[in-house]
Amino acid sequence: MDDLYLWLKTLHVISIIAWMAGLFYLPRLFVYHADAETGSVQSETFKVMERKLLKIITTPAMLSSWIFGLLAAYYGDFLYDTWFLVKFSFVVILTIFHFYLASFVTIFASDRNTKHGKFFRMINEIPTLIMIVVVILVIFKPF
Ligand code: HEM
């Protein structure tokens, strides 16, 4: 039981690292893609990079973060702790942000983006801030 719990946490943290890598890197790709000329070789290359990053790494990592996180919460009996519920709320926001980024992968794929690079530079800070809050919550469990 103890080992199982530690394995769940290990798989959770590995998944989180991959998920965060995707959430940090996708908006960076959008920054450069927004400045690339429609139909150019660069623009077409960014489409492939964005699609693969989302489908092969970021979305599967999000799903496994949720699965192993919820299993860890169940086995660790954290489901009704206040720190967990607060963390959970931030993770829901992060998940909404994930789908928001995914919508831009579709928009860029059909050359319909109208946002500037500066916009993607700004939203790049959102996952960083949420990640900092979530890690503080899970380590300190302040309430
Ligand atoms: C997807 C939904 C998530 C759920 C259900 C969840 C749940 C949990 C649970 C129950 C633990 C075990 C806590 C303990 O043993 O003290 C844990 C550990 C951890 N979580 Fe999450 N989590 C989620 C997402 C995240 C996110 C988004 C991050 C960071 C960005 C994160 C970072 C961590 C870290 C660093 C640990 C290890 C803490 C430690 O062992 O001291 N989690 N998570």
Side-chain angles (χ1 to χ4, degrees):
M1 175 68 168
D2 264 0
D3 266 7
L4 174 63
Y5 176 68
L6 293 179
W7 276 114
L8 289 173
K9 254 195 348 183
T10 303
L11 293 169
H12 175 60
V13 173
I14 292 169
S15 308
I16 290 295
I17 290 169
W19 187 21
M20 291 304 112
L23 293 186
F24 294 152
Y25 196 41
L26 267 174
R28 291 306 309 171
L29 288 175
F30 296 156
V31 167
Y32 300 115
H33 197 165
D35 290 338
E37 207 175 307
T38 307
S40 63
V41 177
Q42 289 99 318
S43 174
E44 295 307 308
T45 307
F46 282 131
K47 286 182 190 177
V48 177
M49 292 169 79
E50 288 155 1
R51 182 168 45 82
K52 289 196 169 171
L53 180 59
L54 181 70
K55 303 268 178 221
I56 299 173
I57 296 175
T58 319
T59 299
M62 179 212 33
L63 291 173
S64 57
S65 300
W66 271 101
I67 291 167
F68 294 122
L70 286 175
L71 286 172
Y74 175 75
Y75 281 108
D77 208 9
F78 292 124
L79 280 171
Y80 301 105
D81 291 3
T82 309
W83 71 267
F84 177 75
L85 296 173
V86 177
K87 170 178 171 171
F88 192 87
S89 315
F90 279 102
V91 177
V92 168
I93 298 171
L94 201 63
T95 306
I96 293 169
F97 183 76
H98 173 109
F99 287 108
Y100 185 58
L101 292 185
S103 75
F104 278 105
V105 172
T106 311
I107 288 169
F108 272 112
S110 51
D111 298 318
R112 286 183 291 117
N113 175 55
T114 52
K115 306 264 191 231
H116 293 290
K118 198 171 171 217
F119 170 79
F120 296 112
R121 240 183 224 117
M122 274 163 56
I123 65 167
N124 211 355
E125 307 304 331
I126 294 172
T128 313
L129 294 175
I130 296 180
M131 186 248 330
I132 291 168
V133 172
V134 164
V135 172
I136 291 172
L137 279 170
V138 83
I139 301 285
F140 284 91
K141 299 185 177 51
F143 24 66

